[in-house]
């Protein structure tokens, strides 16, 4: 095969291992690794402040990984097509390879770029490397996208998943004289200081992803299927930010687990398939996004277009700050502000509280999560909010309204999660920590809690909020 120079356009695939575009470029000859920061081209709400912090550090790690292999990352800022053309001119590249992204605006942009470059006789190859299966490849017997997750999951279990390929330890790279920005010049780090706590909790980049994966396999996979819903147990993988930025391959993870399937107990197999099911849930979100791109802004169940949402600014602010007076809600929202992440069970409960107890539109909650989550992911965030709101495919019924007190008692029985994130309640007995307003004045004084001062009264009464939500739901049923 004739040696050729190929631009590898990194996007949300910031890794070396099992990177289809990178592998194909290295196989063909010399590569020019490139990252282009084009915020004006992004589908809205894709890269919030928290995710920008992660991206900054992930790019630094990718550049270090490339340099260890004799290459480096070329960094540019601006519109993608003109910059790619400039790089082709500067490097003499004959091809551009990249891995698919699935946000509606990006897919449209990428197709335009592909057509424009091919008109100038530049080879363009697009690979599916960040999902288990290409979207639109998993369809039902009527050749329609699945709308029920269980059926989608069962179909995925029947489909072959390609294995990853090994890359050489060094790359053929001849672009040392090509100008590049420093990653700091992209201005990704937020101007507010709240993100500075993140470094105490996270190690962005492929090395951090693999270390966290190995820790999960060794310490957390056993018991995962039973304990994953309990936020204080620390049983989940916490790999979601790494998956969001493509620092670890879901296909590689899948095969790592499946290869263990025959050497573990029945309980071990339950844990393995419990985690694989979560990978497929992530997959389901992307397949929905491609099939129903309107889901990022509009309810997929059209009757919810007429739902009587309310703009409750004060209550929305209290929810964002973790000052609702419901301890499990406040613990989750404070964990989010402190760490840029929230346990999935608590995500469901906090999201349900916003849309069903407060009647705040789900799109506002989705926007806040996209601003504050390190794993902000347009597909899964949109799917999750539509699921909780009852307006998406295979969604939880709107009339299923989580009781935040019972949810806390069930999944944080001793109150350990609440004590960690709502420390002003840490001295309350477990009997009262999920509903401090039921404690006597003497118990509150002994615990150092003054309702309305050190900790707020509930901003809404649960039974009232439940009835109000059901009345609103009945309006759109008619």
């Amino acid at each position: 095969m004739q040696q050729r120079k190929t631009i590898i356009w990194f996007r949300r695939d910031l890794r070396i291992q099992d990177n289809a575009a990178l592998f194909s470029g290295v196989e063909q000859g010399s590569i020019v690794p490139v990252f282009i920061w084009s915020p004006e081209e992004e589908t809205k709400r894709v890269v919030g402040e928290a995710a920008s912090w992660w991206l900054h550090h992930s790019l630094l790690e990718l550049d270090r990984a490339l340099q260890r292999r004799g290459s480096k990352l070329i960094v540019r800022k601006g519109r993608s097509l003109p910059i790619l053309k400039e790089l082709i001119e500067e490097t003499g590249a004959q091809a551009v390879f990249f891995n698919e992204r699935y946000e509606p605006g990006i897919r449209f942009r990428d197709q335009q770029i592909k057509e424009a470059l091919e008109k100038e006789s530049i080879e363009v190859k697009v690979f599916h490397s960040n999902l288990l299966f290409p979207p639109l490849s998993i369809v039902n017997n009527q050749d329609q996208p699945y709308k029920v997750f269980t059926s989608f999951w069962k179909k995925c279990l029947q489909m072959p998943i390609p294995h990853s390929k090994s890359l050489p330890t060094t790359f053929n790279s001849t672009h040392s004289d090509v100008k590049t920005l420093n990653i700091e010049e992209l201005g990704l780090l937020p101007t507010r200081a709240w993100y500075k706590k993140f470094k105490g909790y996270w190690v962005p980049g492929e090395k951090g992803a693999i270390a966290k994966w190995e820790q999960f396999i060794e310490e957390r996979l056993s018991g995962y299927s039973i304990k994953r819903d309990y936020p204080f147990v620390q049983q989940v993988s916490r790999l979601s930010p790494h998956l969001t930025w493509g620092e670890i391959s879901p296909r590689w993870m899948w095969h790592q687990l499946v290869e263990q399937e025959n050497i573990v107990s029945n309980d071990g197999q339950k844990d393995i398939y419990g985690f694989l099911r979560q990978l497929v849930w992530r997959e389901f979100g992307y397949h929905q996004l491609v099939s129903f791109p309107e889901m990022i802004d509009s309810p997929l169940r059209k009757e919810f277009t007429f739902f009587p949402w309310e703009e409750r600014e004060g209550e929305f602010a209290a929810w964002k700050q973790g000052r609702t007076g419901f301890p499990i809600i406040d613990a989750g929202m404070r964990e989010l502000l402190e760490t840029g992440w929230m346990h999935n069970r608590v995500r469901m409960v906090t999201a349900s509280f916003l849309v069903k107890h407060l009647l705040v539109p789900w799109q506002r909650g989705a926007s806040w999560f996209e601003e504050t989550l390190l794993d902000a992911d347009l597909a899964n965030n949109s799917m999750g909010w539509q699921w909780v709101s009852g307006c998406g495919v295979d969604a939880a019924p709107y009339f299923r309204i989580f009781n935040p007190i019972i949810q806390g008692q069930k999944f944080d029985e001793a109150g350990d999660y609440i004590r960690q994130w709502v420390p002003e309640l840490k001295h309350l007995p477990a009997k009262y920590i999920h509903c401090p307003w039921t404690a006597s004045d003497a118990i509150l004084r002994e615990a150092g809690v003054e309702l309305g001062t050190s900790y707020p009264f509930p901003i809404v009464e649960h039974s009232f909020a439940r009835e109000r939500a059901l009345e609103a739901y009945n309006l759109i049923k008619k």
Side-chain angles (χ1 to χ4, degrees):
M1 178 183 292
Q2 181 184 3
Q3 293 287 304
R4 59 167 52 196
K5 187 176 292 187
T6 302
I7 289 173
I8 308 299
W9 183 15
F10 282 94
R11 295 118 70 79
R12 286 186 176 245
D13 52 349
L14 306 181
R15 67 180 184 275
I16 303 298
Q17 184 185 63
D18 193 29
N19 185 318
L22 176 61
F23 179 88
S24 296
V26 169
E27 197 175 40
Q28 287 205 13
S30 177
I31 62 164
V32 182
V34 172
F35 178 82
I36 304 170
W37 178 231
S38 307
E40 67 276 13
E41 296 177 358
E42 292 286 342
T43 304
K44 65 177 183 175
R45 303 199 320 259
V46 170
V47 186
E49 280 201 355
S52 293
W53 175 88
W54 189 283
L55 175 58
H56 173 90
H57 292 283
S58 187
L59 290 172
L60 290 172
E61 174 56 30
L62 177 63
D63 187 37
R64 287 190 286 264
L66 289 166
Q67 289 190 39
R68 288 193 294 269
R69 291 164 175 82
S71 184
K72 70 173 183 178
L73 185 65
I74 304 300
V75 177
R76 298 285 174 90
K77 183 177 183 179
R79 301 199 69 84
S80 301
L81 180 57
I83 288 175
L84 286 170
K85 288 183 175 181
E86 288 174 8
L87 287 166
I88 289 167
E89 180 74 22
E90 293 171 24
T91 64
Q94 300 105 336
V96 175
F97 291 178
F98 56 89
N99 294 310
E100 181 77 270
R101 283 182 57 181
Y102 304 99
E103 302 90 341
I106 296 296
R107 295 186 81 221
F108 178 74
R109 177 204 70 179
D110 288 351
Q111 184 59 34
Q112 289 184 312
I113 288 174
K114 185 175 187 295
E115 292 172 359
L117 294 180
E118 287 178 339
K119 282 182 180 178
E120 299 186 13
S121 300
I122 300 299
E123 180 187 10
V124 180
K125 283 189 178 180
V126 185
F127 302 84
H128 291 282
S129 193
N130 291 328
L131 297 177
L132 300 170
F133 311 100
L136 308 179
S137 67
I138 307 292
V139 293
N140 62 23
N141 292 336
Q142 290 74 46
D143 289 327
Q144 296 298 313
Y146 281 99
K147 294 184 179 180
V148 177
F149 173 71
T150 301
S151 302
F152 181 83
W153 157 247
K154 290 178 179 177
K155 182 65 174 286
C156 287
L157 289 176
Q158 301 169 11
M159 304 290 287
I161 296 175
H163 281 77
S164 57
K165 299 177 182 178
S166 299
L167 280 165
T169 55
T170 59
F171 301 155
N172 183 1
S173 257
T174 55
H175 57 281
S176 57
D177 57 338
V178 178
K179 64 181 180 181
T180 180
L181 297 175
N182 292 322
I183 291 167
E184 289 76 9
E185 294 179 83
L186 298 181
L188 293 168
L189 293 178
T191 55
R192 292 181 291 176
W194 68 283
Y195 71 89
K196 291 185 178 179
K197 299 176 183 177
F198 294 166
K199 64 182 179 182
Y201 296 96
W202 302 98
V203 181
E206 185 174 16
K207 282 178 65 178
I210 293 173
K212 188 152 291 211
W213 171 249
E214 291 173 348
Q215 180 189 41
F216 173 67
I217 295 294
E218 294 170 8
E219 301 175 9
R220 299 180 177 179
L221 179 59
S222 178
Y224 174 83
S225 61
I226 296 173
K227 299 176 182 177
R228 59 175 296 270
D229 271 328
Y230 298 87
F232 192 74
V233 177
Q234 298 295 320
Q235 199 75 28
V236 295
S237 72
R238 297 173 67 92
L239 280 159
S240 54
H242 299 286
L243 280 163
T244 291
W245 289 104
E247 297 168 352
I248 191 168
S249 161
R251 300 186 307 188
W252 179 77
M253 296 163 69
W254 181 282
H255 287 295
Q256 285 250 308
L257 287 180
V258 168
E259 286 166 8
Q260 296 188 37
E261 177 191 358
N262 295 325
I263 59 173
V264 296
S265 64
N266 288 338
D267 286 343
Q269 290 181 2
K270 288 179 184 176
D271 293 329
I272 286 172
Y273 279 91
F275 186 80
L276 294 180
R277 189 178 174 93
Q278 296 308 304
L279 281 182
V280 173
W281 177 255
R282 171 183 180 268
E283 190 89 3
F284 190 46
Y286 277 97
H287 287 239
Q288 281 188 47
L289 182 64
V290 172
S291 297
F292 312 109
E294 68 274 19
M295 70 184 274
I296 63 176
D297 287 312
S298 303
L300 294 180
R301 290 181 58 190
K302 298 307 177 189
E303 64 268 32
F304 275 85
T305 305
F306 306 102
F307 191 87
W309 301 110
E310 299 185 18
E311 301 292 340
R312 300 175 177 274
E313 294 301 333
E315 293 176 351
F316 183 45
W319 177 82
K320 291 192 294 184
Q321 295 159 9
R323 299 284 297 170
T324 68
F326 288 90
I328 193 68
I329 305 297
D330 296 338
M333 299 307 293
R334 295 188 198 182
E335 180 186 27
L336 174 61
L337 288 175
E338 172 80 14
T339 71
W341 185 87
M342 193 195 307
H343 187 280
N344 189 58
R345 165 59 58 174
V346 188
R347 292 190 199 199
M348 289 192 290
V349 179
T350 56
S352 176
F353 184 86
L354 183 72
V355 297
K356 295 179 180 178
H357 281 70
L358 304 183
L359 299 185
V360 171
W362 64 268
Q363 293 94 333
R364 297 196 70 189
S367 293
W368 181 247
F369 272 21
E370 283 156 2
E371 188 66 21
T372 53
L373 280 170
L374 293 168
D375 61 15
D377 173 317
L378 192 64
N380 283 273
N381 195 45
S382 300
M383 176 177 69
W385 278 93
Q386 293 227 20
W387 185 89
V388 164
S389 302
C391 61
V393 304
D394 198 17
Y398 191 84
F399 52 79
R400 183 197 291 173
I401 299 172
F402 287 126
N403 182 324
I405 304 163
I406 293 174
Q407 287 290 307
Q409 292 168 338
K410 183 176 181 180
F411 295 105
D412 187 33
E413 184 177 3
D416 292 329
Y417 178 71
I418 290 170
R419 293 180 214 284
Q420 179 179 4
W421 296 112
V422 190
E424 60 266 42
L425 301 179
K426 67 182 178 181
H427 296 303
L428 273 177
K431 179 179 178 180
Y432 301 108
I433 197 166
H434 300 286
C435 45
W437 59 90
T438 65
S440 67
D441 290 343
I443 291 173
L444 290 171
R445 278 197 304 273
E446 187 176 349
V449 177
E450 185 176 351
L451 292 179
T453 304
S454 64
Y455 187 71
F457 285 102
I459 59 175
V460 67
E461 197 273 323
H462 169 68
S463 297
F464 165 77
R466 184 178 186 280
E467 291 305 314
R468 181 175 63 185
L470 291 175
E471 287 176 10
Y473 178 63
N474 285 330
L475 286 175
I476 64 169
K477 283 175 65 179
K478 298 173 184 177

